[in-house]
Every structure is written in structure tokens, then in C-alpha cells.
Amino acid sequence: MNKLEVQVKPTRVHIEKMESVLVGYWESDCWDVRLCPVLNKIWTRNYVYLKFDYISNPHLKREVKFFIAKRLTEYSWSVESAWRGSIIKHLMNFIENKHSHISSFMDVPKDILLKEYKSFLYKKGKPLRKKGDKINSDWVRFFLTLYDFLFHFYDEREETEKDIWDVSKLNIDYNEASSIRLLNFEQVPSAFKELLKSYIKERLMVHQSLGWGSVHNYVSQLTRFFTFISKSYPNWKDIEMLSRQDILDYIAFLRSTPMGGTSANKTLYSKQPPSDHYIYICIQKLQTFIIHLQRFEWSEAPAIPISKLVFSEDMPNITLSRRNSNVIKYIPDEVWEQVVSNIDQLPSKYMPILIILEASGFRISDVVSLKLDCLLQKDDGYWLVGDQTKVKYKSHKVPISKEVAKTIKAQQELVLKESTIKTNPNNYLFPTLSGLRVGKPTAPLSLSRNLNAFAAKHDITDKNGNLFYFNNHAFRHRYGVNLINNGMKLLHVQKLMAHASPEMTLVYAQIHDNTLRKEWEKSRESGAIRLDVQGDVVQADLKQQAEENGLELEWIRHNMDSIRLDHGFCVKSPKLNCDFLNQTIEPPCIKNNCRSFHVDQTFLPYYKEQIAKIESDIKIYKKTGRTRSIEIIQPKLKRYQEIVDGLKRGDGIFGLDKGRREYVGKDREELTQNGQ
């Protein structure tokens, strides 16, 4: 059902809510801007009054006044934006001439009102578009904003029943720094709209196998597929009869249609020919969708199994994602020096964001989501404290300089001075204090836009003299590169950057020093260890161990989660029985010098902790005279110390591709199921 087909009406409850707002100053039919409760500066413009007394229909007057009062009191409009009496008067003159007896704007469908109002404006000589642009004029935009506001205010349906979902009403975790707040299903063909909404709801809210950042791509790609199917089969209401030929026809359609579609609307990909990456994404999202329907036995699912609908040959042979690439773009020193030289020319609101971004290694979304109390002073200096939302680390801390701390203090003072509990209810360090995003963190995209405009204006170039294009995440890469190139240990960098593994840290923060890179590769081959038949700690060659156990190396890497033990990896083939499985007194792999036992640097904390416990026990045994206990436990201490010493001789990191390295648990399972 389209939004225009949904009828919403004001109830007595809605009227009471509106009247509860329209009290005091807002109750009057003549608002004096100089007395406006939300005016925070001296009014210098000529027009002072915003009048509503000419509106004879009391129901419509209440709706208009309520709309403007809410926009002002929620700080999503400035006073200057609201005090436009001429625009309001033209709309109300049109309504009262054409629909004088309606009791709400909702009594007339939006598309009918819009068409009639545009005709009215045209006859009055008022613009329908902004001059030289395709954007609606202020006259049209005011009507659209008013109508949509009232529609959503009166609409009492569950959020997922609507055609536009507001993430703040879905009761799911999401990053408030995101500028994407709405999920729109309006373009989905009506026959398939409820199917797609049910699928998205189940994955987003029930299984939680999709995040808010990914769900828009699914809606976009599947809308494209359903539009194609609707034109081919106008009477279909499901895809039960979908055939292999339909898939081939769809792929041919994708190959022959620009990525932005054939619409005249200007988009990022308008008229661009389809890339292999684009084709891959379209097919993959469709394949995942069909797998879901068939796995959970939806009645709308295709009767033909997915294995006979979509073949691997359909997928372009590409590297799908930058996650699988070791080529990392970061901000080199020569570019950063140019930024610093001209930083006073950057809009002042972005300067502290940029400084913290470069100094902390935080992701941009985590920087703009910092709270006012993010600065911690300890005996050893200043620390920045903030959540790492991607990996769900709370109160992550990194050390910062006095200069950066000074910048944060200045920002704290500014926000405390300019914000209120209404404009910054969540105590953000970088809040949006007006407009539709009032109370939310500063949008990350606005920083990159301003940075690139700044770069163009001041001719900030790379080492080859080309204009440098800024990506917010490149500052995080710069942080990691600088730490590693300045000699910080890998595990310390890992901790500072809140990474899940040392290997992830090394690839994430690209190393420029070729010598250092070669040394790391060398240590990677020799740093992991195992035990030989005599029990001596020796260098471990994972490839050799895989061959000895009749396994493929890629199988081991793909199944790291399942073969990981508390004290190392078991690379024995699952087809072979473990002779030591029932031994529990001491880790049997170590006790029996198992050749399938493999340890790398990621287990260092475990062994150090075990050694500390054993040493503590030995102290107790000495005090109590338990010499026999000491004799029994000493060999274990010696063996564990040998393992630690062996690991310390190299960095011993092996295993996962970057995509799986950055995800764990359910995220990694999903990547595996999707064939990534």
C-alpha cells in the first residue's frame, strides 16, 4: 500500500496534543518575533510579526501553528526559517479557495493537493523550482514539509507497517552520527512491497543479521530486481515461479542499464555504465534474499532451489570489497603539513574534529559521538575516552598530548555556553544545535565535504602534485602508520586502535618502510611455534603441518574459530581421532608433544597469565612447605616459559584474510554463509 493510499485522520488525542503545545506565546494568532521564546539573538530584520488571524478555518489554523511551533521548539528550524508570512499566506489562500470545508490537510490526498497548488502558484507567478536548479522552490517545499509532518504525526501504525521507517523508532542499535535516518520503501512495486518489508524486518530486527548501515543497500538492490520482475510479469505477487531464464534476463538487464537507472533524476551514478562490482553486488543481494526465503520456507520463495537459479559463473570475477585489499589510503606527512599550514582557513566547527581525528585513531563516527566528559586527566597525562561502536568497546582510552587536550577543553567550554538540554540532550562534544539533526552528532559526511572544498581552495596536493582527495577513515590509517613507523610494538598498536588481532593491525596500518615489512614477513614465517617429539619448542610451519595432517592450508584459515583452543590451535584433521582428547590434568597437546599443536603471538597473554598463576602458587607452596607440589608444578612452569620465549623470538602471525580478520562471532558466520 502506498503512502498516498493510506488515510490518516486527527483524533481527539491528536487534537489534545496540539492544544497542549499551543499555549502561552504560541496560542496567540499574532506572534511577535522579539518575544519568541526560542529567539537567542537580537532581531535585525524589518518584519516582526507572524500572523495567523486571516485563517478562517480553525482546524487548519491549529495544524499550521502546531507545525511551526514544533519546528521552532525542537530547534529543527531557525526563527528566520519560520518567519515567512508570505509563503504561509499563499498556501492558506489556496486551501481556503479550493478546499474551504476540510477539517484537516489530510482530507485531501497529497498528490492531488500538490498538483493543484503548483497550478495555483504558476498562475500567481511564483516559482516551482529554485532558479537554475531542480530543487523545489521555498513555496513548494513548505507545503511538502507541512503535509509530511502532519501525516507522520497522525499516523499511528507500527513503524514497520509504514513505507518510510525512522531508525529512531525501530528499537535497534544504530550510530546516531549517521546522516541516514530513514529507510524508504516507496519505490518498491506494490505487489512486492510487503514481502521486502517483511524480509528486511526479519533480518534487521529479529535475526539482527543486518545493520542499519547495510540495510539500505539491500532495499536499493532488491527494489531494482522487483521493478524488473514487475515489468516482465505484471500479475506476479511473489517469486514462486522464478526461473533460471529470469535470472539470466535480469543479469542482461543489469549489463545494459546505467547504474543510476534510466530516470532523469540526478544521482551519483547517473548514466554511468555498470561495473563488475555493481553487477556482483546486485546478484549477491538477490542470491542472499532467495536463500533466506527458501531456508525459512516462505510461501513466496521460488520453487526452484537457489543452486539451480544462480550459478557461480554469474558472478563477475572481482575482488568484491576493499576489506580484501591490503592497499590502504592514509594521510601522508606531506599532505598533513599542508593541512596544518592552512588549518585556520577551515571552518572553525571542523577544526577540533580534525585535530582529534588525527591524534586519536578513532573512527570519524566515534569522534563526532564523543561526550562532553571524554577528557580524562591522570598522573601520566591526558587520555581521550570514547566508545568504539564498530567493535562494541565501551570507554576505550588513548593517550593524547596537552595540545590536543587544550583543544578539547576549548570545545567543551564552547558547547556548554551555546547548547541547552533541548539542543544537546545527550551531552555530545560535537552536537548539531539547529536544523533537522538537532541534538544529534555532527554528520561525518560534512567534514569530508568541507575538507575537500578546503583542499581545492588551498591546492593541497600529494607527492605527485595531484589534488588530494580526503577520506575521513584515512586519518585512522595515518594514526596506525605513524605508531608502527615510530617503533611501537604491534600488540600495543592493536590495543590503542581497538583491533581484534595483531595481523589486522599490521595490514590496517600500512607500513612504508620496506625493510620493516620484509622483517615482519620473515618473522611471520618463523615466529609461530610447536613442540617436536622430544618436547622441544621449534619453529612452526603452518603449511607443513597442514600437509602432514592431510589438510588444505585454506581450510585451516577458514576454520580458525572451530580449531582454536584456550592454549593454541589444533590443526589435526577432523577425520582423525585425537588420542589425547580425554586427558584433562594438563593441556594434552603440550603434555604429549602433539605435532598438530600450533601456537602464535595471539596466545602470549594466556601463557603469561598462566605463568603468573603458577609462580604465585609456588610462593604459597614454599610458605607451607609443600615441596612435592613444587616438584610437580615446576616442569609445567618450565614448559610454559619455553613457549613464551619461543614466541618472543618472532611475531608469528598467520591466518585470516582481512575481511574475516575484522569480523568475529555472528559477523564472521554471516560472511561465511554469504561466500565472502
Side-chain angles (χ1 to χ4, degrees), residues 601-656:
Q601 282 266 334
T602 62
F603 292 93
L604 261 177
Y606 170 83
Y607 284 102
K608 288 181 177 179
E609 181 181 356
Q610 293 299 312
I611 288 172
K613 288 180 179 178
I614 294 173
E615 289 176 340
S616 176
D617 289 342
I618 289 175
K619 289 181 181 179
I620 295 174
Y621 296 157
K622 286 181 178 179
K623 288 182 180 180
T624 57
R626 296 169 58 183
T627 56
R628 183 56 180 158
S629 296
I630 296 174
E631 291 175 2
I632 293 173
I633 205 173
Q634 279 283 11
K636 186 175 180 179
L637 174 63
K638 180 181 178 183
R639 179 62 57 86
Y640 281 12
Q641 190 61 57
E642 288 173 349
I643 291 174
V644 169
D645 293 342
L647 289 173
K648 285 183 176 180
R649 287 194 288 269
D651 284 334
I653 304 163
F654 61 85
L656 303 176

Side-chain angles (χ1 to χ4, degrees), residues 43 223 252 320 322 407:
W43 187 260
T223 298
L320 174 61
R322 283 175 293 181
T407 298

